[in-house]
Amino acid sequence: MDLNRLRQEIDVIDDKLVALFVQRMQIAAQIGSYKKEHGLPVFAPEREQQKLADVAGKAGSEMADYTKALYVLLMELSRAYQNKLTEESTEVAQ
């Protein structure tokens, strides 16, 4: 096992994750616009619970909790971005 090779593999995956994250946030912005136009709230707790259950199931038992933690953060960031774009002030937890 070569640590440098493994780190290079992580770097390649990280590049893909960043690109997918940006794409996801762009779509979240479109969803935020739709919700604003239709008078819908940004926060949809039922949808988020469904999504968490879905991704946890796809991740398998060993990664379910980690995947849920990742998606809780992703959804928080999406809501914050939607709120920012719809002029509802919010801060991102750091």
Side-chain angles (χ1 to χ4, degrees), residues 43-53 75-76 79:
F43 183 51
E46 306 83 21
R47 163 70 178 155
E48 290 193 10
Q49 289 305 312
Q50 289 172 339
K51 188 67 180 176
L52 289 174
M75 290 183 289
E76 177 185 331
R79 284 193 313 272

Side-chain angles (χ1 to χ4, degrees), residues 8-9 13 38 48-49 53 56 66 73 75 92-93:
Q8 288 173 346
E9 288 182 38
I13 293 168
H38 293 87
E48 290 193 10
Q49 289 305 312
Y66 299 105
L73 179 57
M75 290 183 289
V92 176

